């Protein structure tokens, strides 16, 4: 009977706990997405200011660019806090958010579409960060990467912008 299955599913304590976890993690995901966007804007502004004061013939990669500017490097380093790291390798600026717990394979499969849906609404913002970094640094083909992983390092989601 469909009503029985619905009632059993929605009154099962494990389902309630999992639903609560997803809701709490969803709220955390929105906060971390806002933090990522804010930090991306800060980095973009720093790069734009640095280009205004820099001469021609600068670094060839974003990594070289950041490493040659102490203020930009310090800002990147300061963005890595409480479960989120920010790293620049080559022409890729990577935001990695690490959940403090591990998830089994079934939970990971359930989380992937939720993370994809949550991040889909942020696509244009991350693309804009990449465009601003390119304009500010004068370096082409910059990628902004967002990665979510669990405490064991299992990738839950990643997207390049």
């Amino acid at each position: 009977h469909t009503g029985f299955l619905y009632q059993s599913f929605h009154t099962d304590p494990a389902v309630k706990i999992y639903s609560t976890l997803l809701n709490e993690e969803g709220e955390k995901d929105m906060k971390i997405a806002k933090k990522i966007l804010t930090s991306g804007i800060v980095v973009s502004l720093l790069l734009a200011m640095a280009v205004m004061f820099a001469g021609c013939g600068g670094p060839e990669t974003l990594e070289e660019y950041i490493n040659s500017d102490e203020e930009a490097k310090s800002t990147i380093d300061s963005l890595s806090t409480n479960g989120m790291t920010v790293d620049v390798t080559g022409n890729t600026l990577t935001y990695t958010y690490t959940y403090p717990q591990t998830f089994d394979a079934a939970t990971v499969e359930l989380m992937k579409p939720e993370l994809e849906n949550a991040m889909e609404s942020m696509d244009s913002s991350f693309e804009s960060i990449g465009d601003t970094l390119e304009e500010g640094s004068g370096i082409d083909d910059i990628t902004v990467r967002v990665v979510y992983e669990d405490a064991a390092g299992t990738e839950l989601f990643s997207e390049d912008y």
Side-chain angles (χ1 to χ4, degrees):
H1 187 261
T2 307
F4 172 74
L5 289 174
Y6 178 83
Q7 184 177 2
S8 297
F9 180 77
H10 290 300
T11 58
D12 183 314
V15 171
K16 285 184 180 180
I17 291 168
Y18 181 71
S19 296
T20 301
L21 172 68
L22 281 180
N23 186 39
E24 289 171 359
E25 294 302 331
E27 290 173 12
K28 288 180 186 175
D29 288 345
M30 289 307 295
K31 288 179 184 177
I32 199 73
K34 288 178 184 175
K35 183 176 180 181
I36 288 170
L37 284 176
T38 302
S39 62
I41 291 167
V42 169
V43 170
S44 299
L45 289 173
L46 279 173
L47 288 174
M49 288 176 16
V51 163
M52 291 184 337
F53 298 110
C56 296
E60 293 182 17
T61 67
L62 183 61
E63 181 177 13
E64 290 173 2
Y65 191 92
I66 295 293
N67 288 334
S68 70
D69 183 313
E70 205 52 48
E71 185 177 359
K73 186 169 175 23
S74 175
T75 300
I76 292 287
D77 293 341
S78 72
L79 297 174
S80 295
T81 59
N82 296 346
M84 186 177 82
T85 58
V86 180
D87 182 45
V88 179
T89 305
N91 281 340
T92 303
L93 174 69
T94 304
Y95 297 95
T96 303
Y97 176 71
T98 305
Y99 285 95
Q101 68 268 36
T102 58
F103 301 104
D104 62 32
T107 303
V108 169
E109 287 307 309
L110 290 172
M111 291 176 77
K112 281 184 180 185
E114 296 300 321
L115 288 168
E116 287 173 7
N117 288 337
M119 294 304 294
E120 193 171 280
S121 66
M122 308 297 283
D123 284 355
S124 63
S125 298
F126 288 113
E127 289 166 358
S128 178
I129 290 170
D131 293 343
T132 303
L133 289 171
E134 286 180 357
E135 290 170 20
S137 67
I139 298 169
D140 293 330
D141 300 321
I142 291 177
T143 301
V144 176
R145 177 174 293 144
V146 179
V147 179
Y148 282 83
E149 60 185 25
D150 71 5
T154 302
E155 186 175 291
L156 308 172
F157 170 85
S158 75
E159 185 74 35
D160 288 350
Y161 302 94

